[in-house]
Amino acid sequence: MPQHHPQQLKWKKLLHGRRWVCLIVEAGNFGGSAVSYPLAVVVPTYNRCDALKQCMKHLEEQARKDFEVVIVDDGSTDSTEVWVSDYLKRTPLALRYFRQENSGPARARNFAISVIEAPIALLIGDDIFPAPQFTALHMQLHEQRPEASVVGLGLTVLDEEGQQITPFMRWEGTRGAQFLYGELIAGIKPDWKHFYTSNLSLKTSLLRIFPFDESFPYAAMEDIEAACRIEAEHGLEMVFLPDAVARHLHPMNFVGACRRIEKVGESTAYFDKLWPGRLPRKPHPMAVRLSSMLTRMPLVMRIVEATANQSLKIACPNRLMRFVLSHYYDRGYERYICRTNNPQRPVEHIEHRSAN
């Protein structure tokens, strides 16, 4: 292992794109310019200090340790900054920490890519707990496949220990709005629509050419859009690495998923504005009419939502559940269209999605 040289906490004001970003920078246990690493693990974080602790613990336990870790704190208001400042004094990891104003994971990842020197970037979330062979398997792929277009996609599964897993959570993580790993396990070849930044490795130079679009209204779809752009303008070969397993701390209930999928709908509308026709929508005409009617009757819709929530105790998935999720997705989609026609309407504070 290289010799590490702890440094003192210091403030910097850096220009990222067209915007000045105030950052706390700590090189911590980082080897400095004399040390080069083949891989950098990029971890955006926002108000998930407890999960971040577990994430770092699992990175410490990697079988292959020749990598650096770059944490970009997206303006957390919890104890993240205090904990990381202390952790930097004792961690065995080659770790750097940056802090920016709350701007979303797209900007956080773009900034990380701008400061790392490793040729391979491994993108995860703060609620991702990698298995011991995780970094080794991602590095092995790129050592064997040095082509710039090759992207490694590992398998993200639900963490069985830190949360109570429901049938709805399992559905969402394999065939729902979160991930579509079920079809990959079944043998379908991954493509740009599987560009999940919870467990993804690629050449750093590729993301410098094709950064994440920071204009998305919420933390959703900006990763898929980057992949769509890379495939269209450069070429993209996704390689599924089912043994590169990471556990995902993602407690989610149906009501929370309804709120979340509205934001996905908005971000999808922006994606469609950029790439019309790449994600064809084929809503059922009767479902569209019913959804439109329920939009004008919010109290009735809440009753339908509550009924769908109870129906999950009987069967998951089911038609009512799918209809309610589709309703909120479409409502978010239409809300973005209305917002573009009324640009004075403010966008909410940018929350991070649970890693995706």
Side-chain angles (χ1 to χ4, degrees), residues 16 103-110 207 209-227 229 267 270-271 273-275 336 350 353:
H16 178 50
S103 307
R107 175 162 293 173
R109 292 192 181 97
N110 285 342
L207 280 180
I209 299 170
F210 300 99
F212 294 101
D213 187 335
E214 300 174 10
S215 302
F216 274 81
Y218 296 105
M221 296 298 295
E222 78 284 354
D223 45 4
I224 304 301
E225 190 281 329
R229 190 164 13 107
S267 288
Y270 179 66
F271 176 95
K273 177 181 175 182
L274 299 175
W275 298 95
Y336 176 82
I350 301 177
R353 64 175 178 269

Side-chain angles (χ1 to χ4, degrees), residues 27-208:
N29 284 346
F30 182 67
S33 59
V35 177
S36 61
Y37 298 94
L39 180 140
V41 181
V42 174
V43 189
T45 189
Y46 179 73
N47 282 351
R48 292 197 190 117
C49 186
D50 289 341
L52 183 64
K53 293 176 185 179
Q54 291 296 312
C55 179
M56 293 301 107
K57 179 177 180 292
H58 283 80
L59 288 175
E60 290 179 12
E61 296 169 351
Q62 292 300 295
R64 184 167 175 177
K65 300 181 183 297
D66 53 336
F67 61 90
E68 69 163 317
V69 180
V70 175
I71 298 174
V72 181
D73 184 346
D74 190 34
S76 293
T77 57
D78 63 358
S79 58
T80 297
E81 179 185 332
V82 173
W83 178 78
V84 174
S85 297
D86 177 68
Y87 180 65
L88 283 163
K89 301 171 186 176
R90 53 186 169 81
T91 178
L93 296 170
L95 173 64
R96 287 188 284 170
Y97 172 66
F98 300 88
R99 181 177 171 88
Q100 67 179 19
E101 297 175 359
N102 178 251
S103 307
R107 175 162 293 173
R109 292 192 181 97
N110 285 342
F111 180 82
I113 294 300
S114 74
V115 299
I116 65 177
E117 297 181 1
I120 307 301
L122 175 51
L123 309 181
I124 66 173
D126 53 7
D127 54 359
I128 290 295
F129 308 152
Q133 295 295 326
F134 183 75
T135 57
L137 290 167
H138 276 282
M139 279 192 264
Q140 182 182 59
L141 169 68
H142 293 282
E143 288 167 353
Q144 296 174 350
R145 299 291 309 277
E147 306 96 306
S149 59
V150 171
V151 175
L153 172 66
L155 175 62
T156 301
V157 299
L158 287 169
D159 179 28
E160 300 280 351
E161 298 177 2
Q163 60 196 344
Q164 182 177 355
I165 300 175
T166 65
F168 177 75
M169 289 169 61
R170 292 195 186 279
W171 172 82
E172 187 184 42
T174 56
R175 294 177 174 83
Q178 185 79 9
F179 298 122
L180 293 173
Y181 278 113
E183 61 186 31
L184 301 183
I185 294 171
I188 293 178
K189 182 176 174 57
D191 60 19
W192 60 272
K193 294 185 290 295
H194 302 97
F195 198 86
Y196 303 144
T197 50
S198 61
N199 189 341
L200 192 82
S201 63
L202 68 167
K203 310 305 187 288
T204 303
S205 58
L206 193 62
L207 280 180
R208 290 203 175 112

Side-chain angles (χ1 to χ4, degrees), residues 287-301:
V288 171
R289 289 194 294 270
L290 179 58
S291 182
S292 177
M293 180 182 67
L294 290 172
T295 297
R296 298 189 295 270
M297 298 185 295
L299 292 180
V300 175
M301 186 60 216

Side-chain angles (χ1 to χ4, degrees), residues 270-284:
Y270 179 66
F271 176 95
D272 285 350
K273 177 181 175 182
L274 299 175
W275 298 95
R278 292 305 301 270
L279 290 175
R281 302 176 70 220
K282 298 180 180 179
H284 192 282

Side-chain angles (χ1 to χ4, degrees), residues 168 172 252-262 305 325:
F168 177 75
E172 187 184 42
M252 174 63 69
N253 57 33
F254 180 69
V255 174
C258 289
R259 306 291 84 78
R260 162 69 184 157
I261 205 166
E262 280 193 69
E305 178 187 322
L325 290 174

